[in-house]
Amino acid sequence: MTDKQRFSSVWDAIEDTPQNAAIMRARSGLMMSLTTVIRLQGVTQAQAAVFFGLTVMTEHAGGGHDIH
């Protein structure tokens, strides 16, 4: 039987260094906060993508996709 390790966060478990884990915790927290604000404002995913300068993928009725 192998010894099981315990970590204080998932980032500590999967990142190579404590510094990288801290960066990922900060990024994760930022994304969760942005998600909350976007939902509270009633913004669609497409509107949020445009606001943040991201590409938007649209689906055709026939199953194809366009990336804008």
Side-chain angles (χ1 to χ4, degrees), residues 21-59:
I23 290 167
M24 292 307 295
R25 276 193 298 278
R27 292 176 71 178
S28 174
L30 175 61
M31 291 304 295
M32 289 189 292
S33 295
L34 286 171
T35 299
T36 298
V37 170
I38 289 166
R39 285 187 180 145
L40 289 173
Q41 293 296 319
V43 177
T44 67
Q45 185 176 5
Q47 291 168 325
V50 169
F51 179 80
F52 290 111
L54 304 173
T55 58
V56 177
M57 184 182 304
T58 57
E59 187 173 348

